[in-house]
Amino acid sequence: MSLDKILKTYLPMTETAFYILLSLGEPRHGYGIVKHVEQLTESRIRLGSGTVYGTLTKMQRDGIITVFADEERRTIYEITDIGKKLILAEIRRIKELYHNATENEVGFID
Amino acid sequence: MQPKMRWGSLIKKVKLFWSLDVQKTEKWLAAMSAKGLHFVAVNLLTRQFSFQEGSPRQLTYRIGCEGPNYALPKTLINSGWTKVFGERKWYVIVNEEPPNELKTYPVRTGLIRRNNWLLLLCSIILIYGAVNLSIQLTLLGFMAYISTPITIVPSPWWVLTPLIFLAGIAFWSGIIYTCIALVRSNRNLGERVKEQIKDPNSTANVIKKRNYFWVYSPDKLEQWLETMEEQGYNLVQVGSYARSFWFEKGSPRKVKYSVDY
């Protein structure tokens, strides 16, 4: 899948997909991703295994992440170069969103 | 990076059923490398493997089957795995490190998925053949029962009958062999501990226990696993369809298990 098609399909990302991909700053196994997202969001988001593995399978199929097995045969997920470009594009979009929100919030405060 | 080897002439060998049991093929490739014949490529159509003559080396091979978007993980590349062949969905990677020092491997899910599809196809053909055969045998039996006279019309084409019969035997034997080989291959692909038990050099003290009906009460499975841990049996592997559980004899642990779907 080309980068353009990936960006068109995935952007804007759902909060779940964003945090799953964000947690892959280093390779992690499925449960490690769940715990990391929980830690990042101070337990606001608790991902169910169906959500995590469903999203990971879709991302793997599209070449955003790739997998390998460690010594204990656990499946470890790793972000690919295309995946890195995707998360950086999403971070840029969120930064723009944040910037515009903070610049214009005054108009809504009574 | 390609393993450093002194290359010589090219040698070709045919292995017709290499893709039915890739673990066997991987061992065969490693044995060939130990003899100084290093894998270069395979013709997916003619099933012909090409080997380059060189100095004998202890190499580990892994064969994989993944979708078009698959990228070899950087962790695997950094661990010494090198892609030596890639065509359509198939790829072959090799590692120069001693087998007992390897810490990372490619996953087998793509291969298991491909085997399952092939198994489904072969099973459908097999069921079709069995139904067809039973209908024909019933008709023949019925004709024999009512003593219908069978007239054989002389024809030079009768010479083809035994040939077609032999071709049929070969075809159906091939289908049955494929089914058996795929089931065995999938079972082995999903079970690491089984390899350890089979490995005479392994020091792992592993026991296997079966638990068939836990799906009806997952809480009992959690309790059972926690009790096993308290007795010093540490869970190391869950087999296909979660029916077999492998435990390694270690130290008693107080751990909590949670079964999820």
Side-chain angles (χ1 to χ4, degrees):
Chain A
M1 219 177 188
S2 69
L3 180 63
D4 279 351
K5 207 171 171 190
I6 291 280
L7 295 177
K8 211 172 270 180
T9 312
Y10 279 86
L11 293 184
M13 290 175 88
T14 62
E15 199 176 19
T16 309
F18 174 75
Y19 272 116
I20 287 175
L21 211 53
L22 194 70
S23 65
L24 290 178
E26 61 182 80
R28 286 180 207 276
H29 52 80
Y31 186 65
I33 293 172
V34 173
K35 294 312 286 178
H36 190 72
V37 171
E38 217 175 289
Q39 196 188 337
L40 276 177
T41 61
E42 291 171 340
S43 298
R44 184 175 63 82
I45 298 176
R46 284 188 182 170
L47 299 170
S49 49
T51 315
V52 177
Y53 291 109
T55 310
L56 288 171
T57 306
K58 189 172 178 286
M59 286 180 171
Q60 191 189 337
R61 194 192 60 212
D62 293 339
I64 293 163
I65 58 167
T66 185
V67 289
F68 63 93
D70 67 1
E71 257 182 309
E72 291 159 23
R73 277 284 168 100
R74 286 183 307 192
T75 303
I76 310 287
Y77 299 89
E78 185 187 288
I79 194 164
T80 61
D81 289 340
I82 284 188
K84 282 178 187 169
K85 284 173 186 156
L86 172 66
I87 190 77
L88 287 174
E90 180 65 355
I91 289 171
R92 267 197 306 276
R93 191 187 71 82
I94 292 171
K95 275 182 179 170
E96 184 197 292
L97 210 67
Y98 172 77
H99 174 77
N100 289 334
T102 48
E103 286 287 302
N104 295 287
E105 72 176 332
V106 187
F108 300 97
I109 299 168
D110 292 326
Chain B
M1 201 174 68
Q2 195 80 352
K4 286 174 200 139
M5 292 162 192
R6 203 160 45 82
W7 298 120
S9 58
L10 208 64
I11 285 168
K12 292 184 186 258
K13 282 184 186 286
V14 173
K15 203 167 173 66
L16 286 180
F17 302 110
W18 69 270
S19 58
L20 292 183
D21 191 346
V22 292
Q23 283 178 311
K24 204 170 158 188
T25 310
E26 287 164 357
K27 281 177 190 158
W28 176 63
L29 293 178
M32 293 297 274
S33 277
K35 286 192 274 185
L37 294 172
H38 305 292
F39 170 75
V40 179
V42 55
N43 187 322
L44 298 177
L45 205 66
T46 60
R47 329 292 277 175
Q48 194 177 49
F49 283 72
S50 303
F51 296 91
Q52 196 93 50
E53 262 188 307
S55 47
R57 296 182 74 108
Q58 197 74 35
L59 300 176
T60 304
Y61 287 90
R62 282 290 180 271
I63 299 169
C65 183
E66 294 291 342
N69 294 320
Y70 177 75
L72 197 63
K74 287 209 166 66
T75 310
L76 285 188
I77 296 167
N78 295 338
S79 307
W81 289 99
T82 312
K83 193 172 178 179
V84 280
F85 172 79
E87 199 177 308
R88 284 189 259 165
K89 287 186 172 184
W90 291 100
Y91 69 87
V92 180
I93 54 176
V94 65
N95 200 315
E96 290 181 84
E97 298 289 324
N100 54 351
E101 285 178 22
L102 292 175
K103 306 269 187 239
T104 56
Y105 304 88
V107 292
R108 304 292 207 172
T109 42
L111 215 50
I112 293 172
R113 205 179 306 124
R114 175 250 176 205
N115 283 357
N116 282 338
W117 273 110
L118 206 56
L119 189 61
L120 179 70
L121 184 71
C122 288
S123 306
I124 291 169
I125 296 172
L126 206 59
I127 291 166
Y128 168 77
V131 170
N132 214 341
L133 184 71
S134 60
I135 291 171
Q136 292 194 33
L137 286 177
T138 311
L139 282 175
L140 272 175
F142 182 68
M143 281 165 74
Y145 177 70
I146 58 170
S147 307
T148 310
I150 297 170
T151 315
I152 297 171
V153 181
S155 164
W157 293 105
W158 276 110
V159 74
L160 288 177
T161 306
L163 292 176
I164 293 167
F165 181 73
L166 284 176
I169 293 281
F171 175 77
W172 291 110
S173 305
I175 293 286
I176 292 167
Y177 173 77
T178 304
C179 285
I180 295 168
L182 288 172
V183 168
R184 197 183 298 149
S185 172
N186 265 6
R187 204 171 47 212
N188 292 338
L189 283 169
E191 294 172 0
R192 168 184 65 99
V193 184
K194 209 168 171 186
E195 284 169 20
Q196 279 186 352
I197 297 166
K198 278 182 184 170
D199 181 5
N201 300 320
S202 173
T203 52
N205 187 5
V206 180
I207 60 159
K208 180 183 178 182
K209 286 201 175 275
R210 290 186 185 276
N211 194 333
Y212 287 105
F213 304 108
W214 66 266
V215 281
Y216 303 109
S217 51
D219 52 327
K220 282 190 183 160
L221 176 74
E222 289 169 359
Q223 281 169 13
W224 177 62
L225 292 173
E226 285 161 13
T227 312
M228 290 296 283
E229 288 284 355
E230 279 171 16
Q231 291 168 0
Y233 291 99
N234 313 133
L235 181 70
V236 285
Q237 175 93 19
V238 180
S240 329
Y241 309 111
R243 288 175 308 191
S244 314
F245 296 83
W246 278 270
F247 299 91
E248 192 163 10
K249 186 78 181 110
S251 49
R253 295 193 300 186
K254 268 268 181 215
V255 288
K256 176 110 184 83
Y257 277 95
S258 176
V259 180
D260 200 354
Y261 178 71

